[in-house]
Amino acid sequence: MEEICLEKIIVEKSPPLHGRVRVSGAKNAALPILAASLLGTEDIILEDVPNLKDVEIMCEVLKSLGSEVAYLDANTIKINSKNLNNYETRYELMNKMRASFLVMGPLLTRLGKTRNSLPGGCAIGARPIDLHLKGFRALGAEVVQNEDNVFAYSDRLTGDMVYLDFPSVGATENIMMAATMAQGETIIDNAAMEPEIVDLSNFLNKLGADIRGAGTSTIKIRGVKHLGGAKHSIIPDRIEAGTLMVGAAISKGDVIVENVITSHMKPVSAKLRECGCTVEEGIDSIRVIGNDHLKAIDIKTMPYPGFPTDMQAQFMALMTVLEGTSTVIETVFENRFMHVEELKKMGADIQVEERAATILGKDKLFGAEVKATDLRAGAALVLAGIIAEGTTIIDEIYHIDRGYDRIEEKFRKLGANIYRKEF
């Protein structure tokens, strides 16, 4: 019987991080843009695509639907969906990644029907698809849902007003893509305003779509009959950038993070300044200098432009060693404190009550065997391991690889003692 090798990330206590590091393209922009590639009937070239497990899965989804997908290099993908011939997404692919549900909008408007298994992904809380389906119904689609899958169909979608009860990123993207070839005008009210929505809109407009207002709470889409091809570069990953910035703070280091859009980083930069770090913004870079005496802060996660829920775990790792008592209020996902028990194994003093956490800063953390309970929790444990006394062994790192392109290489470049090992 063949023995299975499991990879783990090993982190030893490291010196203060120093140097320059380049951020990869954004996972949360690349995935919807890959899904949107189903709408085009000519060659599409995507540049600065992060080399991630989730991207690999999405490419498999596209291939299974009839798209031609080829890597031109490690971060450039060529897609042609002219001969799209399948409207059903396989369960084994959908189950691996929630974002694969984003093919539903493009398939519905391009082929007139789509059948999708219910999505998987990180277990950070209930992320219902009801807002997606509400949008499809508003555009005139018939939607049939059971325990296993969702089937939607329409001879021709028709533009309408869609009000989102919550500014869901996924629902905004899916409805926006479905509306690109709907008859007439669609208005999405209370739309998500994340930078990734803007990147998707810019890409769709390059294909020939007519979308205005992305980045505001009201998006207007005038349907067109045909979408073509384009070349597009994925925006930098603001969550990876934030994680590296926190690495500079927690290690009391001096790091220049390159390939960033500084306006996307405002909440992270503000909170790092608030705790006592020096944050200097360049044209497309941010320098973070840690301090020997960083003070406690409070954060409350909110939809963009508020503090991102995807940075909550990393900041909690930082809070474990800030002077004083910090608080975190999580308003976006109800199950996003799974990293708390893992940080406690390293000596953190954290108390959780429903969606609020209170963190009493300690002088030091201690290495331990921990597991990445989800993607951002894994990043938080890497950060904690960099400053913890002794050795930290992180298990279940497949979660980390879903959203970070070679995370250990980037931290090692800055001087961290971090590597992978097969067990």
Side-chain angles (χ1 to χ4, degrees):
M1 189 172 175
E2 190 177 331
E3 188 176 335
I4 298 174
C5 287
L6 293 176
E7 277 192 330
K8 299 184 183 183
I9 287 180
I10 315 296
V11 193
E12 308 274 0
K13 184 174 183 183
S14 304
L17 302 184
H18 281 85
R20 295 174 173 267
V21 61
R22 185 184 187 276
V23 172
S24 298
K27 172 192 116 140
N28 290 336
L31 297 178
I33 286 172
L34 283 165
S37 298
L38 294 168
L39 293 164
T41 55
E42 299 167 29
D43 283 350
I44 289 168
I45 307 288
L46 299 180
E47 299 174 326
D48 220 358
V49 181
N51 191 358
L52 303 172
K53 189 65 180 174
D54 274 11
V55 168
E56 187 182 310
I57 294 167
M58 185 61 92
C59 288
E60 287 302 313
V61 171
L62 298 186
K63 287 179 187 175
S64 76
L65 297 170
S67 298
E68 295 176 13
V69 181
Y71 274 85
L72 302 184
D73 60 43
N75 301 107
T76 307
I77 301 177
K78 180 180 177 181
I79 302 156
N80 190 302
S81 301
K82 181 180 179 181
N83 298 318
L84 207 60
N85 57 16
N86 184 12
Y87 64 89
E88 297 191 54
T89 309
R90 298 205 310 265
Y91 167 79
E92 64 268 24
L93 292 173
M94 288 294 294
N95 192 49
K96 289 178 181 177
M97 182 183 62
R98 180 178 180 81
S100 46
F101 194 72
L102 290 171
V103 301
M104 196 166 186
L107 289 173
L108 181 59
T109 199
R110 174 91 191 271
L111 299 180
K113 55 187 173 181
T114 174
R115 188 189 305 276
N116 292 68
S117 301
L118 295 178
C122 281
I124 56 176
R127 296 191 279 181
I129 57 168
D130 57 328
L131 293 178
H132 301 241
L133 305 185
K134 173 184 176 180
F136 297 152
R137 288 190 177 105
L139 299 182
E142 294 289 331
V143 180
V144 181
Q145 183 179 1
N146 60 32
E147 289 182 2
D148 300 320
N149 57 52
V150 181
F151 179 56
Y153 60 95
S154 173
D155 288 337
R156 179 81 194 269
L157 298 177
T158 305
D160 204 344
M161 169 75 77
V162 181
Y163 175 79
L164 296 180
D165 301 302
F166 176 83
S168 160
V169 174
T172 301
E173 292 167 341
N174 230 342
I175 297 164
M176 188 162 74
M177 290 186 283
T180 54
M181 292 194 284
Q183 197 164 5
E185 186 175 70
T186 299
I187 297 174
I188 306 174
D189 206 5
N190 197 30
M193 299 190 289
E194 272 72 0
E196 294 78 15
I197 301 281
V198 179
D199 204 28
L200 174 61
S201 171
N202 290 340
F203 169 70
L204 288 168
N205 284 339
K206 285 181 183 177
L207 296 185
D210 184 353
I211 302 171
R212 288 164 290 149
T216 75
S217 61
T218 303
I219 300 176
K220 295 181 180 179
I221 308 107
R222 190 176 296 278
V224 298
K225 290 183 178 179
H226 169 82
L227 293 175
K231 179 185 278 192
H232 184 78
S233 289
I234 306 296
I235 58 170
D237 195 315
R238 61 195 171 98
I239 307 303
E240 182 187 298
T243 303
L244 293 164
M245 289 164 68
V246 173
I250 199 170
S251 69
K252 300 179 172 60
D254 182 351
V255 172
I256 297 173
V257 182
E258 299 177 322
N259 189 38
V260 294
I261 298 173
T262 56
S263 61
H264 294 175
M265 306 309 303
K266 283 181 180 178
V268 171
S269 296
K271 286 297 172 183
L272 288 176
R273 286 190 180 106
E274 194 178 314
C275 76
C277 293
T278 299
V279 181
E280 300 172 354
E281 295 181 0
I283 295 171
D284 60 357
S285 66
I286 297 180
R287 181 182 184 185
V288 178
I289 304 171
N291 189 314
D292 285 339
H293 299 287
L294 298 179
K295 305 294 185 184
I297 52 171
D298 302 323
I299 63 170
K300 181 179 182 179
T301 65
M302 298 286 283
Y304 191 87
F307 189 91
T309 181
D310 278 354
M311 283 301 304
Q312 180 254 103
Q314 300 92 309
F315 263 80
M316 193 179 289
L318 173 62
M319 290 170 172
T320 62
V321 290
L322 296 181
E323 294 178 6
T325 302
S326 300
T327 61
V328 173
I329 298 174
E330 173 60 59
T331 74
V332 181
F333 295 124
E334 78 278 8
N335 195 24
R336 201 150 205 184
F337 284 145
M338 292 191 293
H339 47 278
V340 168
E341 292 306 313
E342 303 306 306
L343 289 170
K344 281 183 174 180
K345 292 176 186 175
M346 302 178 72
D349 186 341
I350 307 170
Q351 301 299 319
V352 174
E353 190 170 333
E354 295 182 347
R355 292 196 180 200
T358 304
I359 305 97
L360 178 62
K362 294 290 200 72
D363 288 336
K364 58 182 67 174
L365 298 177
F366 300 91
E369 292 195 21
V370 292
K371 63 180 179 182
T373 52
D374 62 70
L375 168 54
R376 307 306 174 184
L381 296 172
V382 168
L383 292 167
I386 286 171
I387 59 159
E389 300 290 332
T391 303
T392 300
I393 301 173
I394 306 171
D395 200 0
E396 298 185 17
I397 62 170
Y398 59 87
H399 284 298
I400 300 174
D401 291 339
R402 285 187 45 239
Y404 288 94
D405 187 349
R406 306 182 315 277
I407 190 171
E408 74 282 4
E409 289 182 25
K410 288 174 180 171
F411 275 113
R412 198 160 53 238
K413 185 179 179 185
L414 297 173
N417 297 321
I418 179 173
Y419 57 95
R420 284 173 189 249
K421 185 177 179 182
E422 289 188 349
F423 286 80

